[in-house]
Amino acid sequence: MAPPRNVVKIAVQMRDAIPQLIQLDQAKPLAAVLKEVCDAWSLLHSERYALQFADGHRRYITENNRMEIKNGSILCLSTAPDLEAERLLGGLQSESREGRREALRHLVLLAPDMTFAQEVISRDGLQRLGTIIEDGDDLGEVLALALRAFLELMEHGVVSWETLSIPFVRKVVCYVNMNLMDASVQPLALGLLESVTLSSPALGQLVKSEVPLDRLLVHLQVMNQQLQTKAMALLTALLQGASPAERKHMLDYLWQRNLRQFIYKNIIHSAAPLGDEMAHHLYILQALTLGLLEPRMRMPLDPYSQEQREQLQALRQAAFEPEGEPLGAGLSADRRRSLCAREFRKLGFSNSNPAQDLERVPPGLLALDNMLYFSRHAPSAYSRFVLENSSREDKHECPFARSSIQLTVLLCELLRVGEPCSETAQDFSPMFFSQDQSFHELFCVSIQLLNKTWKEMRATQEDFDKVMQVVREQLARTLALKPSSLELFRTKVNTLTYGEVLRLRQTERLHQEGTLAPPILELREKLKPELMGLIRQQRLLRLCEGTLFRKISSRRRQDKLWFCCLSPNHKVLQYGDVEEGSGPPVPESLPEQLPVADIRALLTGKDCPHVREKGSGKQNKDFCELAFSISYDHGEEEAYLNFIAPSKREMG
């Protein structure tokens, strides 16, 4: 007869003892279970002991998580978390450096467990670790272990980062600013300052004032991927916490110090593969830099601004007035105004007064900036574009100004200018770091592409919107290829002609329509059982291979990983934390198990609890698209296993 559902068969280990095979009754109080286990080994005072999972982070078993114990689980009997916390914190006061080091090593191993962490924190463990960090007697392994343990304890969110003292933060800043330092210390110090900056505006200002940008640039140039990543993380945290004016000043300085060139040559094109965390921070750096364009994008042209009127005249003069020959010399003011208005019309403005065209936001003054940049940095191409189209009499002229305004809007949409940064995205463009003034340079390539496509389509003014749709497709398809340089982008986008776009559209349409044709549907019905079997087999194999997932907190993106896979017999989901940089673990080494029979449902997007918890104000499209959850029976209650897929492809 099968045992009751709330009884599981497990093994309990203890050092220097023969393991016990027991039937654990989940309805029995944990204290009673511990008493029976201790009695079997003739151990007195069972309240001094606790059960832990034998694998992974050796989490303590509590009344809250005991339902995670499944048939075949291996537990170990260990010291109770309160006594273990007391013992290890006492070890921090040891006269022996080796004694302190050993206590810290155990603290680091147990700190990820919430039960143990609460015991340590309640005994002023953070203050004791803070003393070790502030004293800085040992700048090697002891300091690194103290920083790691401190970070692990703080990640539980029991204590706010805002409670840290100014002297403590200043001491950590000193470790970042030192030249001679153990290689393992500075990435941890940088990580701690990143958390402080993201969580506390006041302490973030302190970090900003005391960690020079030049110091972060030094760390970025050290060929140590972990150090580079943490330095970039702190840099983007400081940029995100700065005011728009401060951010512009900081980015201008970084670009003057050749940060862009260094990133392009030594990080993007490094021999070592680019990690997910670094890709995320490069995405943030790109988004913040493009965000500097937003004020111009949101600002309409001011018809009373002398500077802006002069810029418009410069645009007209570059197209129509030979150098040294002013418009209408010797003509009356009315005649000059009439000629000027006509030339603005030829330039492609919809109104004789171009200020009216540029009152639209977006793109506002950003469109004028793009047109001026094109006229000054590609004068031959600019003159050719304008004169070629302004002299045509067959109504096939491509209006430069109108096209430029709409193209600027299109580029802002494709590059998400002014949108808030995603917490998880890694979608940066290598091309962005290959070129100064990348947005304006991209416009120069795109406006010439638009003119080329206009001619290929033999378009008239009535076809303007159709042309823009084709150009949008050309740009979007090419950007999705992530070309590594502007020249490569130019080459690829120019090979994507109007004819090629039509061919791609037709192929995609035929593929869609072909799969819906009656003969195809009939054949598909006949093959469906076999196909479904193959699909099921392939998906089961993929689930058994498993996937690495990133842990996401409500506060910020984190660099911790966990792994989940389906057991070979397809009956259990196995999962657990893994170290950054390590390969997929052996399924047997994963500490957590979830029987497939206990699963209730699969949730996606906004239905997931970890998406709902973020609140509507903080949700973003990328996070929702990649989120999914498995709901399962947890005793009498419903529990969730929450995921963020690595990519949209993996999500599909």
Side-chain angles (χ1 to χ4, degrees):
M1 190 171 91
R5 182 186 173 111
N6 61 348
V7 174
V8 289
K9 295 180 178 180
I10 61 170
V12 182
Q13 300 174 333
M14 186 178 72
R15 183 182 293 180
D16 301 327
I18 298 172
Q20 298 181 40
L21 300 176
I22 67 171
Q23 291 193 20
L24 172 63
D25 184 351
Q26 292 284 34
K28 186 180 293 186
L30 203 54
V33 174
L34 268 170
K35 180 75 166 61
E36 291 175 3
V37 171
C38 289
D39 287 347
W41 277 319
S42 301
L43 296 173
L44 301 175
H45 305 295
S46 61
E47 69 277 3
R48 297 179 180 177
Y49 296 91
L51 292 172
Q52 290 176 296
F53 288 106
D55 298 323
H57 289 298
R58 301 177 71 88
R59 288 190 303 133
Y60 281 99
I61 309 296
T62 66
E63 293 291 355
N64 291 329
N65 68 9
R66 63 182 297 174
M67 298 309 295
E68 296 177 24
I69 304 171
K70 305 300 179 184
N71 276 319
S73 294
I74 301 175
L75 308 182
C76 61
L77 187 69
S78 62
T79 308
D82 55 341
L83 296 178
E84 187 68 4
E86 194 71 55
R87 183 182 74 83
L88 293 178
L89 290 175
L92 298 185
Q93 314 299 322
S94 171
E95 295 294 329
S96 160
R97 177 174 293 182
E98 186 56 40
R100 293 197 300 275
R101 185 182 289 115
E102 196 60 29
L104 283 166
R105 284 174 183 157
H106 281 87
L107 263 175
V108 168
L109 289 173
L110 292 173
D113 179 71
M114 183 60 153
T115 304
F116 177 78
Q118 287 177 321
E119 296 292 347
V120 172
I121 292 169
S122 68
R123 289 167 171 76
D124 296 330
L126 284 169
Q127 287 84 341
R128 297 194 199 186
L129 288 168
T131 300
I132 294 174
I133 294 168
E134 281 195 70
D135 289 346
D137 294 334
D138 185 328
L139 299 180
E141 187 184 3
V142 167
L143 178 57
L145 289 168
L147 284 166
R148 190 178 298 278
F150 191 92
L151 279 165
E152 290 285 0
L153 292 171
M154 290 295 294
E155 287 297 337
H156 291 290
V158 177
V159 177
S160 169
W161 290 94
E162 293 184 341
T163 61
L164 299 187
S165 70
I166 290 176
F168 175 83
V169 174
R170 281 198 166 123
K171 189 64 178 182
V172 178
V173 166
C174 287
Y175 296 141
V176 168
N177 291 339
M178 280 184 184
N179 288 323
L180 299 175
M181 178 61 63
D182 186 278
S184 61
V185 169
Q186 288 187 320
L188 292 165
L190 286 162
L192 194 153
L193 294 182
E194 180 205 1
S195 295
V196 167
T197 302
L198 289 169
S199 304
S200 170
L203 291 176
Q205 283 298 315
L206 173 66
V207 175
K208 179 177 174 293
S209 65
E210 301 210 1
V211 179
L213 290 178
D214 283 333
R215 188 62 195 163
L216 293 179
L217 290 172
V218 168
H219 289 314
L220 282 168
Q221 292 174 40
V222 176
M223 291 299 114
N224 176 324
Q225 197 170 41
Q226 186 186 23
L227 185 60
Q228 284 181 334
T229 301
K230 293 302 180 184
M232 186 65 77
L234 178 55
L235 179 60
T236 56
L238 291 171
L239 287 167
Q240 285 177 288
S243 68
E246 288 175 326
R247 187 181 302 149
K248 183 180 187 314
H249 176 75
M250 292 167 70
L251 286 168
D252 286 346
Y253 180 78
L254 291 167
W255 256 229
Q256 289 169 13
R257 295 300 303 260
N258 299 322
L259 175 62
R260 178 194 64 75
Q261 293 91 325
F262 180 81
I263 289 173
Y264 187 70
K265 293 178 182 177
N266 298 295
I267 294 180
I268 294 175
H269 291 291
S270 168
L274 194 70
D276 289 347
E277 193 183 354
M278 178 61 86
H280 173 68
H281 293 302
L282 291 179
Y283 151 79
I284 291 178
L285 186 58
Q286 173 181 306
L288 294 177
T289 305
L290 287 171
L292 297 178
L293 301 170
E294 186 180 8
R296 300 289 288 180
M297 182 183 77
R298 305 284 182 202
M299 186 183 299
L301 185 136
D302 178 4
Y304 300 104
S305 167
Q306 179 66 27
E307 180 188 3
Q308 292 169 20
R309 288 202 302 270
E310 288 174 357
Q311 288 174 333
L312 282 169
Q313 291 299 333
L315 201 61
R316 181 191 60 76
Q317 290 164 1
F320 299 112
E321 293 185 16
E323 197 169 339
E325 295 183 24
L327 172 70
L331 298 178
S332 66
D334 288 344
R335 180 61 177 157
R336 280 200 302 273
R337 276 196 296 271
S338 175
L339 283 173
C340 190
R342 190 171 70 181
E343 289 186 348
F344 275 124
R345 287 272 191 181
K346 284 185 177 183
L347 200 54
F349 286 98
S350 302
N351 301 281
S352 55
N353 179 4
Q356 293 176 288
D357 294 63
L358 292 167
E359 285 175 352
R360 172 188 171 189
V361 291
L365 290 175
L366 188 56
L368 178 59
D369 294 341
N370 274 335
M371 289 188 279
L372 282 168
Y373 188 91
F374 182 45
S375 70
R376 290 167 179 170
H377 292 81
S380 298
Y382 170 68
S383 298
R384 187 164 57 250
F385 186 118
V386 175
L387 296 176
E388 175 186 301
N389 286 288
S390 64
S391 61
R392 298 184 70 166
E393 298 296 335
D394 54 4
K395 297 187 178 179
H396 287 278
E397 66 274 8
C398 176
F400 171 73
R402 183 185 177 192
S403 299
S404 297
I405 291 167
Q406 191 58 40
L407 182 60
T408 302
V409 174
L410 174 55
L411 288 174
C412 288
E413 291 173 357
L414 291 175
L415 297 175
R416 300 182 177 182
V417 174
E419 291 186 20
C421 293
S422 160
E423 292 184 9
T424 58
Q426 303 166 11
D427 189 24
F428 78 95
S429 172
M431 177 181 70
F432 174 83
F433 294 96
S434 73
Q435 184 79 41
D436 285 327
Q437 301 293 338
S438 57
F439 184 83
H440 297 315
E441 289 287 344
L442 183 60
F443 171 83
C444 293
V445 173
S446 301
I447 191 67
Q448 293 175 80
L449 168 74
L450 189 151
N451 189 39
K452 174 174 169 286
T453 301
W454 185 282
K455 288 187 285 188
E456 289 170 354
M457 294 177 67
R458 296 188 57 77
T460 63
Q461 293 288 331
E462 289 74 21
D463 301 317
F464 185 84
D465 290 338
K466 293 179 183 177
V467 175
M468 292 309 302
Q469 288 173 5
V470 174
V471 172
R472 172 186 281 275
E473 193 168 339
Q474 291 170 314
L475 294 175
R477 287 180 183 270
T478 308
L479 286 169
L481 299 173
K482 295 191 177 299
S484 59
S485 68
L486 186 72
E487 282 309 311
L488 195 55
F489 176 86
R490 189 197 309 272
T491 301
K492 288 182 179 294
V493 81
N494 281 304
T495 58
L496 192 60
T497 61
Y498 173 57
E500 180 66 11
V501 169
L502 287 180
R503 187 189 68 77
L504 289 170
R505 285 179 177 176
Q506 186 177 21
T507 302
E508 290 164 0
R509 186 169 59 251
L510 286 174
H511 176 72
Q512 183 181 10
E513 292 174 353
T515 56
L516 300 177
I520 298 296
L521 290 174
E522 184 180 345
L523 179 61
R524 194 163 69 179
E525 280 301 312
K526 289 182 180 179
L527 295 175
K528 188 174 182 179
E530 183 181 351
L531 290 172
M532 293 303 291
L534 287 171
I535 291 169
R536 182 175 182 275
Q537 183 180 3
Q538 188 270 337
R539 289 184 175 177
L540 284 171
L541 286 171
R542 182 70 185 89
L543 287 171
C544 290
E545 288 175 8
T547 303
L548 281 170
F549 297 94
R550 290 205 165 268
K551 287 191 171 182
I552 306 294
S553 76
S554 60
R555 183 175 56 78
R556 66 183 182 95
R557 184 179 187 277
Q558 298 185 21
D559 56 356
K560 294 189 177 181
L561 298 171
W562 66 292
F563 184 81
C564 184
C565 66
L566 183 66
S567 64
N569 63 5
H570 304 163
K571 292 185 178 181
V572 177
L573 283 177
Q574 298 172 288
Y575 60 96
D577 294 345
V578 297
E579 293 296 326
E580 178 82 33
S582 62
V586 178
E588 292 76 15
S589 68
L590 296 169
E592 315 294 344
Q593 293 187 346
L594 170 59
V596 173
D598 289 350
I599 294 176
R600 292 188 183 183
L602 176 68
L603 309 174
T604 60
K606 294 181 180 179
D607 295 328
C608 298
H610 56 314
V611 173
R612 293 198 301 267
E613 287 168 6
K614 291 173 69 61
S616 59
K618 292 186 179 178
Q619 286 180 10
N620 60 67
K621 184 180 177 184
D622 295 313
F623 190 90
C624 289
E625 287 179 348
L626 298 177
F628 66 99
S629 300
I630 293 173
S631 71
Y632 62 94
D633 292 325
H634 183 66
E636 298 299 321
E637 300 178 354
E638 183 179 17
Y640 299 93
L641 195 59
N642 298 318
F643 300 80
I644 298 295
S647 66
K648 291 181 182 178
R649 182 175 178 275
E650 293 280 350
M651 183 69 178

